[in-house]
Amino acid sequence: MPAFDLDAWVARSRAVDLSEIDWAAVPRHPVSSETLRTLRYMQDIESHTIIYTRSLLATRAIDDPEVATFLACWLYEETFHGLALARFLQAAGHPVGPRERPRGSESFPQWLEARMTALVSRVWPDFCAVHMTWGAINEMTTLMGYRRLMAIANHPVLSDLLERITLDESRHFFFYYRQAERRMQRRAVARVARLIVDRFWAPVGSGVQPDGELIFMARYLFSDEEGRVAVRKVDDTIRRLPGFASVRLLEAWMHRHARAADGNGGSNGHGQH
C-alpha cells in the first residue's frame, strides 16, 4: 500500500456532495420494504457515530495527533452520511420518525462497552492498535454493505447517493487499515489485538439496534452467492493484517446466525435464509 499522507487525507475531507442528486426522481422508482428497512438501520447507525465518539474521548486514542485529527474528520463525514440517508428516506415517502430512545442515552451493553474500552485503554499502551483494527473491520463491512445494497435495490438515485458515500467509507477504511498495519508490527501487540477482536467483535450496529434488525439486514445483503463473496472479501482483507492470518469474523458470524435462523424455521426467501 502507498505511504499515508495525513495532510492530503484531511484536505479531501468534506460533507458528502449532494448537489447533483436528483431528489425529485426518488419516488419514480420502486423501493422495496426490505430496502427501506435496511436504509433505516444504516441511517440510524451513521447518525449514532457521535455517541461512539463520546466513548473514545475517554481513551488514549485522542492523545495521538494523527488519530485525533482523523476522528474529527470521520465524525463530520459520517454525520452527513446520516443526514443524506434521512433525506433519501424522506424523498421516498418514508421519513425518519422519532427515536425510541433519546439520542444521548446509552443502553446497558453500550454503557458496559464504553467502560470496558476505557479500562483497556488505561492498562494497555497499544490500545490504538485494536481500535484501528476494529475500525478497519467495521468500515470494510459497511463499504461492502453499501455496495450490496446498490446491487440489490437497483434504484438509480440511491445508487448515485451510495456511490458518493462509499468514497468516504473507502477513505475511512484506508486510514484505519494503514494504522492497524503499522501498529501491529510487534508480535505481542498483534497477539493482544487478535485476542480482543476474537473475543468481543460483532458487526457494526450491535448494541445500538435490536439484534433482529441487524440479523435481517445481514441476511438481506449477504446471504446470496454475491453476498457470500462480499463477506469473504471482508475477512480476506483483514487476514492480511499482522497476526490475523487465520481470522474468521464476518463469515463465522453469518454462519452462526444462518444456522440459528434455519433452526427457528426462518424463511427461504432472499435475505431470509
Side-chain angles (χ1 to χ4, degrees):
M1 299 179 76
F4 181 75
D5 185 338
L6 181 64
D7 291 337
W9 195 95
V10 171
R12 292 194 297 272
S13 180
R14 57 182 57 85
V16 60
D17 182 8
L18 305 178
S19 61
E20 297 182 3
I21 298 291
D22 188 0
W23 300 109
V26 172
R28 298 176 198 157
H29 306 275
V31 185
S32 71
S33 59
E34 294 88 352
T35 292
L36 289 169
R37 185 174 175 182
T38 300
L39 280 171
R40 284 192 291 268
Y41 181 97
M42 291 174 163
Q43 193 279 331
D44 187 74
I45 299 307
E46 295 280 18
S47 301
H48 187 83
T49 301
I50 193 168
I51 306 298
Y52 178 65
T53 305
R54 184 175 67 184
S55 69
L56 287 175
L57 296 177
T59 73
R60 65 177 71 237
I62 61 170
D63 296 329
D64 185 295
E66 281 193 354
V67 173
T69 300
F70 164 77
L71 288 175
C73 297
W74 174 74
L75 173 60
Y76 179 74
E77 293 175 8
E78 296 283 356
T79 298
F80 278 94
H81 294 171
L83 294 172
L85 294 176
R87 186 170 177 182
F88 179 90
L89 286 165
Q90 182 172 1
H94 298 270
V96 175
R99 312 270 179 191
E100 293 183 1
R101 64 194 183 282
R103 175 49 57 181
S105 69
E106 287 181 306
S107 65
F108 178 72
Q110 291 172 266
W111 178 89
L112 182 61
E113 179 181 349
R115 272 60 185 179
M116 290 298 295
T117 300
L119 176 62
V120 171
S121 173
R122 283 197 298 270
V123 302
W124 187 36
D126 292 296
F127 165 79
C128 278
V130 73
H131 172 217
M132 293 294 106
T133 303
W134 202 286
I137 299 166
N138 284 348
E139 292 290 348
M140 185 66 175
T141 305
T142 300
L143 182 61
M144 291 296 105
Y146 281 137
R147 288 177 176 170
R148 289 293 303 134
L149 184 58
M150 289 166 63
I152 293 170
N154 193 30
H155 188 292
V157 183
L158 180 60
S159 293
D160 188 6
L161 175 60
L162 294 181
E163 187 65 43
R164 296 164 190 261
I165 290 176
T166 57
L167 291 176
D168 288 344
E169 301 294 353
S170 295
R171 292 173 55 251
H172 299 167
F173 167 74
F174 180 79
F175 179 88
Y176 278 120
Y177 194 89
R178 286 292 299 186
Q179 288 281 328
E181 188 178 52
R182 176 170 64 83
R183 292 170 185 273
M184 292 196 297
Q185 291 302 311
R186 287 189 291 129
R187 186 173 301 177
V189 174
R191 185 180 299 118
V192 174
R194 171 69 185 273
L195 178 66
I196 293 173
V197 169
D198 279 346
R199 177 63 183 85
F200 296 106
W201 180 83
V204 61
S206 301
V208 177
Q209 284 272 355
D211 289 347
E213 292 303 302
L214 172 60
I215 293 169
F216 167 82
M217 184 191 68
R219 292 181 193 143
Y220 180 56
L221 297 178
F222 298 122
S223 64
D224 62 8
E225 181 55 36
E226 291 81 4
R228 288 189 286 273
V229 169
V231 166
R232 287 193 294 272
K233 184 173 181 179
V234 172
D235 280 2
D236 285 346
T237 301
I238 301 305
R239 287 186 191 111
R240 294 199 292 267
L241 288 172
F244 280 72
S246 61
V247 75
R248 287 186 76 244
L249 292 171
L250 193 54
E251 290 173 296
W253 187 90
M254 287 291 298
H255 181 61
R256 288 196 304 271
H257 288 284
R259 287 195 305 178
D262 291 341
N264 290 325
S267 166
N268 288 325
H270 179 77
Q272 302 290 326
H273 301 319

